[in-house]
Amino acid sequence: MGSVPDSKQIDWQPLIDAAIEAMGKSYSPYSKYPVGAAALTTNGAVVSGCNIENASLGITLCAECSLVSDLVMNDGGKLVAFACVDRDSNALMPCGRCRQLLYEHAAPGMLLRSTSGIRTIEEMLPDAFGPERLS
Ligand code: THU
């Protein structure tokens, strides 16, 4: 799998299940707001992450940070489809910083399960500042 398929061709449930499983590993003693994220990659694998908080609250890692770490360390591909869940397993919107983080590692047109349906990463971060701006 090299590019992003039509959203209807994505099997979202295994991604949501992987996000829920990742959420179970969350370290969030301060907010008590566990988050899990999972994504399908261009290699056909699923990468995942959870939020990892810190007593120095500002350096908390969002679930998306943990997921990107998994991607770079273990997969090396690009993100094709992404899902994030809150503690009730509902869709959670990536924060602004994490949209930027995802954009860097997304295949063009990456699909994102948002609270208002399936969107592309470009819709979530219009006119983005990305790696292409530096070339
Ligand atoms: N959080 C994420 O993991 N991802 C987001 O996109 C938004 C927020 C986490 C950070 C913190 O541990 C908790 O949610 C409450 O803000």
Coordinates of all heavy atoms in Angstrom, one line a residue, residues 62-111:
C62 N 1.7 14.2 24.0 CA 0.3 13.8 23.6 C 0.5 12.4 22.9 O 1.6 12.0 22.5 CB -0.2 14.8 22.5 SG -0.8 16.3 23.2
A63 N -0.7 11.7 22.8 CA -0.7 10.4 22.2 C -0.1 10.4 20.8 O 0.5 9.4 20.4 CB -2.1 9.9 22.2
E64 N -0.3 11.5 20.1 CA 0.2 11.6 18.7 C 1.7 11.6 18.7 O 2.3 11.1 17.8 CB -0.3 12.9 18.0 CG -1.9 12.9 17.8 CD -2.6 13.4 19.0 OE1 -2.1 13.4 20.2 OE2 -3.7 13.9 18.8
C65 N 2.3 12.2 19.7 CA 3.8 12.2 19.8 C 4.3 10.8 20.0 O 5.3 10.4 19.3 CB 4.3 13.0 21.0 SG 3.7 14.7 21.0
S66 N 3.7 10.1 20.8 CA 4.0 8.7 21.1 C 3.8 7.9 19.8 O 4.7 7.0 19.5 CB 3.2 8.2 22.3 OG 3.3 6.9 22.5
L67 N 2.8 8.1 19.1 CA 2.5 7.4 17.8 C 3.6 7.7 16.8 O 4.1 6.8 16.1 CB 1.1 7.8 17.3 CG 0.6 7.1 16.0 CD1 -0.9 7.0 16.0 CD2 1.0 8.0 14.8
V68 N 3.9 8.9 16.6 CA 5.0 9.3 15.7 C 6.3 8.7 16.0 O 7.1 8.2 15.2 CB 5.1 10.8 15.5 CG1 6.3 11.3 14.8 CG2 3.8 11.4 14.8
S69 N 6.6 8.6 17.3 CA 7.8 7.9 17.8 C 7.8 6.4 17.3 O 8.7 5.9 16.8 CB 7.9 8.0 19.3 OG 9.0 7.3 19.7
D70 N 6.6 5.8 17.5 CA 6.5 4.4 17.1 C 6.7 4.3 15.6 O 7.4 3.4 15.1 CB 5.0 3.9 17.5 CG 4.8 2.4 17.2 OD1 5.8 1.7 17.0 OD2 3.6 2.0 17.2
L71 N 6.1 5.2 14.8 CA 6.2 5.2 13.4 C 7.7 5.3 12.9 O 8.2 4.5 12.1 CB 5.4 6.4 12.8 CG 5.5 6.5 11.3 CD1 4.6 5.5 10.6 CD2 5.2 8.0 10.8
V72 N 8.4 6.3 13.5 CA 9.8 6.5 13.0 C 10.7 5.4 13.5 O 11.6 4.9 12.7 CB 10.3 7.9 13.6 CG1 11.7 8.1 13.3 CG2 9.5 9.0 12.9
M73 N 10.5 4.9 14.7 CA 11.4 3.9 15.2 C 11.1 2.5 14.6 O 12.1 1.7 14.4 CB 11.2 3.8 16.8 CG 11.8 4.9 17.5 SD 13.6 5.1 17.3 CE 14.1 3.7 18.2
N74 N 9.9 2.2 14.3 CA 9.5 0.8 14.0 C 9.0 0.6 12.6 O 8.9 -0.5 12.1 CB 8.5 0.3 15.0 CG 9.1 0.3 16.4 OD1 10.2 -0.2 16.6 ND2 8.3 0.8 17.3
D75 N 8.5 1.6 11.9 CA 7.9 1.4 10.6 C 8.6 2.2 9.5 O 8.9 1.6 8.5 CB 6.4 1.9 10.7 CG 5.6 1.5 9.5 OD1 5.1 0.4 9.4 OD2 5.6 2.4 8.6
G76 N 8.8 3.4 9.7 CA 9.5 4.2 8.7 C 8.7 4.7 7.5 O 9.2 5.3 6.6
G77 N 7.4 4.4 7.5 CA 6.5 4.8 6.5 C 5.8 6.1 6.7 O 6.3 6.9 7.6
K78 N 4.7 6.3 6.0 CA 3.9 7.5 6.2 C 2.5 7.1 6.7 O 2.1 6.0 6.5 CB 3.7 8.3 4.9 CG 5.0 8.9 4.4 CD 5.4 10.2 5.2 CE 6.7 10.8 4.7 NZ 7.1 11.9 5.5
L79 N 1.8 8.0 7.3 CA 0.5 7.7 7.9 C -0.6 7.9 6.8 O -0.6 8.8 6.0 CB 0.2 8.7 9.0 CG 1.2 8.7 10.2 CD1 0.9 9.9 11.2 CD2 1.2 7.4 10.9
V80 N -1.4 6.9 6.8 CA -2.5 6.8 5.8 C -3.9 7.1 6.4 O -4.7 7.8 5.7 CB -2.5 5.4 5.1 CG1 -3.7 5.2 4.3 CG2 -1.2 5.2 4.3
A81 N -4.1 6.6 7.5 CA -5.4 6.8 8.2 C -5.2 6.8 9.7 O -4.4 6.0 10.2 CB -6.4 5.6 7.8
F82 N -5.8 7.8 10.4 CA -5.5 8.1 11.8 C -6.8 8.1 12.6 O -7.8 8.8 12.2 CB -4.7 9.4 11.8 CG -4.5 9.9 13.2 CD1 -3.4 9.5 14.0 CD2 -5.5 10.8 13.8 CE1 -3.3 10.0 15.3 CE2 -5.3 11.2 15.1 CZ -4.2 10.8 15.8
A83 N -6.7 7.5 13.8 CA -7.9 7.6 14.7 C -7.3 7.9 16.1 O -6.3 7.3 16.5 CB -8.7 6.3 14.7
C84 N -8.0 8.7 16.8 CA -7.6 9.1 18.2 C -8.9 9.0 19.1 O -10.0 9.3 18.6 CB -7.1 10.5 18.2 SG -6.1 10.9 19.7
V85 N -8.7 8.4 20.3 CA -9.9 8.3 21.2 C -9.6 8.9 22.6 O -8.5 8.9 23.0 CB -10.3 6.8 21.3 CG1 -10.7 6.2 20.0 CG2 -9.2 6.0 22.0
D86 N -10.7 9.3 23.2 CA -10.7 9.7 24.6 C -11.0 8.6 25.5 O -11.2 7.5 25.0 CB -11.6 11.0 24.8 CG -13.0 10.7 24.6 OD1 -13.5 9.5 24.6 OD2 -13.8 11.7 24.5
R87 N -11.2 8.9 26.8 CA -11.4 7.8 27.8 C -12.7 7.1 27.6 O -12.9 6.0 28.0 CB -11.3 8.3 29.2 CG -12.3 9.4 29.5 CD -12.1 9.9 30.9 NE -12.5 11.3 31.0 CZ -12.1 12.1 31.9 NH1 -11.3 11.8 32.8 NH2 -12.6 13.4 31.9
D88 N -13.7 7.7 26.9 CA -15.0 7.1 26.6 C -15.0 6.4 25.2 O -16.0 6.1 24.7 CB -16.1 8.1 26.6 CG -16.2 8.8 28.0 OD1 -16.1 8.0 29.0 OD2 -16.4 10.0 28.1
S89 N -13.8 6.3 24.6 CA -13.6 5.7 23.3 C -14.2 6.6 22.2 O -14.4 6.1 21.0 CB -14.2 4.3 23.2 OG -13.6 3.5 24.2
N90 N -14.6 7.8 22.5 CA -15.1 8.7 21.4 C -13.9 9.3 20.7 O -12.8 9.4 21.2 CB -15.9 9.8 22.1 CG -17.2 9.3 22.7 OD1 -17.8 8.4 22.1 ND2 -17.6 9.8 23.8
A91 N -14.2 9.7 19.4 CA -13.2 10.4 18.6 C -12.7 11.6 19.3 O -13.5 12.4 19.9 CB -13.7 10.7 17.2
L92 N -11.4 11.9 19.3 CA -10.8 13.0 19.9 C -10.0 13.8 18.8 O -9.3 13.2 18.0 CB -9.8 12.6 21.0 CG -9.1 13.7 21.8 CD1 -9.2 13.5 23.3 CD2 -7.6 13.8 21.4
M93 N -10.2 15.1 18.8 CA -9.5 15.9 17.8 C -8.1 16.1 18.2 O -7.9 16.6 19.3 CB -10.2 17.2 17.6 CG -11.6 17.1 17.0 SD -11.7 16.2 15.5 CE -10.8 17.3 14.4
P94 N -7.1 15.9 17.3 CA -5.7 16.3 17.6 C -5.6 17.8 17.9 O -6.2 18.6 17.2 CB -5.0 15.9 16.4 CG -5.8 15.0 15.6 CD -7.2 15.3 16.0
C95 N -4.8 18.1 18.9 CA -4.6 19.5 19.3 C -3.8 20.2 18.1 O -3.3 19.5 17.2 CB -3.9 19.7 20.6 SG -2.2 19.1 20.5
G96 N -3.7 21.5 18.2 CA -3.0 22.2 17.1 C -1.6 21.7 16.8 O -1.2 21.4 15.7
R97 N -0.9 21.6 17.9 CA 0.5 21.1 17.8 C 0.6 19.7 17.2 O 1.5 19.4 16.3 CB 1.2 21.1 19.2 CG 2.6 20.5 19.2 CD 3.1 20.6 20.7 NE 4.5 20.1 20.7 CZ 4.9 18.8 20.8 NH1 3.9 17.9 20.8 NH2 6.1 18.5 20.8
C98 N -0.3 18.8 17.5 CA -0.3 17.5 17.0 C -0.8 17.4 15.6 O -0.3 16.5 14.8 CB -1.1 16.6 17.9 SG -0.3 16.2 19.4
R99 N -1.6 18.4 15.1 CA -1.9 18.4 13.7 C -0.7 18.7 12.9 O -0.4 18.1 11.8 CB -3.0 19.5 13.4 CG -4.3 19.1 14.0 CD -5.4 20.2 13.8 NE -6.4 19.9 14.8 CZ -7.7 20.4 14.7 NH1 -8.1 21.1 13.6 NH2 -8.6 20.1 15.6
Q100 N 0.2 19.6 13.4 CA 1.4 19.9 12.7 C 2.3 18.6 12.7 O 3.0 18.3 11.7 CB 2.1 21.1 13.5 CG 3.5 21.5 12.9 CD 3.4 22.3 11.6 OE1 2.3 22.9 11.4 NE2 4.4 22.2 10.8
L101 N 2.4 18.0 13.8 CA 3.2 16.8 14.0 C 2.7 15.7 13.0 O 3.6 15.0 12.3 CB 3.1 16.3 15.4 CG 4.0 15.2 15.9 CD1 5.5 15.8 15.9 CD2 3.6 14.8 17.3
L102 N 1.4 15.5 12.9 CA 0.9 14.5 12.0 C 1.2 14.9 10.6 O 1.5 14.0 9.7 CB -0.6 14.3 12.2 CG -1.1 13.7 13.6 CD1 -2.6 13.8 13.7 CD2 -0.6 12.2 13.7
Y103 N 1.0 16.1 10.2 CA 1.2 16.6 8.9 C 2.6 16.2 8.3 O 2.7 15.8 7.2 CB 1.0 18.2 8.8 CG 1.1 18.7 7.4 CD1 0.0 18.8 6.6 CD2 2.3 19.2 6.9 CE1 0.0 19.3 5.4 CE2 2.4 19.7 5.7 CZ 1.3 19.8 4.9 OH 1.3 20.3 3.6
E104 N 3.6 16.4 9.2 CA 5.0 16.1 8.8 C 5.1 14.6 8.3 O 5.9 14.3 7.5 CB 5.9 16.4 10.0 CG 7.4 16.1 9.7 CD 8.1 17.3 9.2 OE1 7.5 18.4 9.3 OE2 9.2 17.2 8.7
H105 N 4.3 13.7 9.0 CA 4.5 12.3 8.7 C 3.3 11.7 8.0 O 3.2 10.4 7.9 CB 4.7 11.6 10.1 CG 6.0 12.0 10.8 ND1 7.2 11.6 10.5 CD2 6.2 13.0 11.7 CE1 8.1 12.2 11.2 NE2 7.5 13.1 11.9
A106 N 2.5 12.5 7.5 CA 1.3 12.0 6.7 C 1.6 11.8 5.3 O 2.3 12.6 4.6 CB 0.1 13.0 6.9
A107 N 1.0 10.7 4.7 CA 1.0 10.6 3.2 C 0.0 11.7 2.8 O -1.0 12.0 3.5 CB 0.5 9.2 2.8
P108 N 0.2 12.3 1.6 CA -0.8 13.3 1.1 C -2.2 12.8 1.1 O -2.4 11.7 0.6 CB -0.3 13.6 -0.3 CG 1.2 13.3 -0.3 CD 1.3 12.1 0.6
G109 N -3.1 13.5 1.7 CA -4.5 13.1 1.7 C -4.8 12.2 2.9 O -5.9 11.6 3.0
M110 N -3.9 12.0 3.8 CA -4.1 11.1 5.0 C -5.5 11.4 5.6 O -6.0 12.5 5.8 CB -3.1 11.4 6.1 CG -3.3 10.4 7.3 SD -2.4 11.0 8.8 CE -3.7 12.1 9.5
L111 N -6.2 10.3 5.9 CA -7.6 10.4 6.4 C -7.5 10.4 7.9 O -6.8 9.7 8.5 CB -8.4 9.2 5.9 CG -8.5 9.1 4.4 CD1 -9.1 7.8 4.0 CD2 -9.4 10.2 3.9

